[in-house]
Each structure stands twice: as structure tokens, then as C-alpha cells.
Amino acid sequence: MVDMSQTIAPKSDQLNADDLIGGPRTITITRVTGNEGNAEQPVNVFFDGDNGKPFRPCKSMRRVMVKIWGADASKYPGNSMTIYRDPKVKWGGMEVGGIRISHMTGIDQKQTMALTESKQARKPYTVQPLKVEEKPQAVPDRGAADKIISTIARAPDAEKLDAYLKGEKVMAAIAGLTPELAGEVEEAANDKRASFQTVDELDDDPFAEAAE
């Protein structure tokens, strides 16, 4: 399938209204920085998958963000909002389209506030609560851990055990385990090394010289 929306994206260093012609988009904020030298768009809102093109909200949408999330932008990361293209947004008296916010996390019911529409009028603006589905947690790979522990148990000596554990594939597999499972693997390896030392000690006969 050819995604036509990717072929009409404007060349710019920021997210534009025309980027949302294909429909609304829900974004999760990663960081907020100042955009020095730009009085009209003084804030950069970076988000997951922004490709280096931040959302620079207009003053009205900044007021919405402050209303819902507060003035401290350092607390914004991790929050999400749905943005869309409003073709009715005017610039210089002409309808050119702009980015508006429809839904935000951090609220459990719709929030309505008065925003300036023009120098002579203010208009109610409503934001709906956004429910973001939590990503399912990865299921610990019990099988991979058990396989490594089983192989450790069959190691004939400490040298071959260490060689096995230092193998590229094994190290990658251990790195992919949960901390709990990785701890089980480490404990199994330590126990196996201790067993080798016990065998070596038993092989040394402290009375061999006296018997001679």
C-alpha cells in the first residue's frame, strides 16, 4: 500500500496543520523547550515519532495546555493529547487552517474555557478527556532462562562454563531477560562454579604425603 499522506507533507522544521489532513493524531509528549527568537511560536513540544519536527502550539492552544496541565511545562512529558487540523483557523483574515487540541490526558471529564476568537469576541472551547490504552507488559521469557540454566548445569568445568556464558548469543539472551530471571541465571552459574571448587578440594588428599 502506498501511503499518500506521506507524499503531501510540507517541508518544514515543525508539525503543520497540513500534516494532519489525513486525520487527527494522538501524540505523547517527550519534552518541551523554548523556541528562542520566535515570538509567535515560543514553545517546542516534542513527542514520540516527531522526526525532529515539534508541535509549536499557538497562543490559544498554549492557554488550553496551561489550563489543563498547569504552567510548569517540565511536568508535561508523558502526557498525551489528540490534535487535528481545523480548516476554519484564520491568519491575516484568511482561513488557512491551524492545529487544534481536541482531547487531553489528565482530566476525567470535559473541560470548557473561554478563548479569544478575535479582538471583539471570546468563544467557548471544549477539550475532551483522553484515555490512552496502556501497552501490555512483556511476558518474562521463562523458557529462555530455563534453557540457559539447564545448559549451565551440564557444564563439565569452570572454563567451559565461562566460555558458554561469554558467548555472543547467550549474552544477548541474558540481556533480554527480566532482572529477576537474569538473577536466577547468575545464581545458577555461581552455584555451578562453587561445585567445581568443591570437587577440586576433594581431589586433593591432605594425607597423601604422610602416607608415603
Side-chain angles (χ1 to χ4, degrees):
M1 183 187 93
V2 177
D3 186 354
M4 291 291 288
S5 65
Q6 299 300 315
T7 68
I8 60 176
K11 293 183 178 179
S12 174
D13 64 348
Q14 69 182 64
L15 185 71
N16 292 289
D18 286 349
D19 290 314
L20 304 175
I21 286 179
R25 181 176 179 182
T26 296
I27 62 175
T28 299
I29 297 174
T30 56
R31 62 190 175 99
V32 180
T33 67
N35 186 27
E36 296 182 8
N38 191 327
E40 292 293 330
Q41 297 174 309
V43 176
N44 295 313
V45 178
F46 293 92
F47 53 91
D48 285 336
D50 59 24
N51 294 318
K53 295 172 58 175
F55 168 38
R56 291 174 179 154
C58 64
K59 183 177 289 187
S60 292
M61 293 303 99
R62 295 198 301 274
R63 286 172 175 160
V64 170
M65 295 169 73
V66 170
K67 169 69 175 179
I68 303 298
W69 291 337
D72 186 357
S74 68
K75 297 180 179 179
Y76 290 4
N79 282 291
S80 300
M81 59 183 167
T82 300
I83 52 179
Y84 68 99
R85 182 181 185 275
D86 182 355
K88 296 294 185 179
V89 173
K90 295 182 179 180
W91 178 261
M94 296 180 60
E95 292 185 351
V96 296
I99 298 177
R100 293 292 182 260
I101 301 169
S102 63
H103 296 70
M104 297 175 71
T105 55
I107 53 176
D108 53 14
Q109 59 184 0
K110 68 179 182 180
Q111 300 287 319
T112 300
M113 62 209 79
L115 296 181
T116 301
E117 185 178 40
S118 65
K119 292 182 178 180
Q120 294 79 27
R122 290 167 68 84
K123 182 179 180 181
Y125 189 87
T126 299
V127 177
Q128 299 289 344
L130 174 63
K131 303 298 182 182
V132 179
E133 293 185 6
E134 294 185 1
K135 296 181 180 179
Q137 294 182 349
V139 177
D141 194 347
R142 176 80 254 179
D146 287 343
K147 183 178 180 180
I148 296 172
I149 291 173
S150 176
T151 304
I152 288 174
R154 299 196 305 272
D157 54 54
E159 183 178 353
K160 290 184 179 179
L161 171 62
D162 289 338
Y164 167 70
L165 292 174
K166 292 178 181 178
E168 185 176 340
K169 290 185 178 180
V170 176
M171 291 180 67
I174 293 175
L177 298 174
T178 63
E180 291 78 10
L181 292 179
E184 289 185 29
V185 170
E186 182 179 4
E187 183 178 359
N190 290 336
D191 289 345
K192 190 63 177 179
R193 291 191 186 93
S195 71
F196 292 138
Q197 294 173 358
T198 301
V199 171
D200 291 341
E201 291 173 357
L202 291 176
D203 287 344
D204 294 333
D205 185 356
F207 303 107
E209 183 175 351
E212 293 177 358

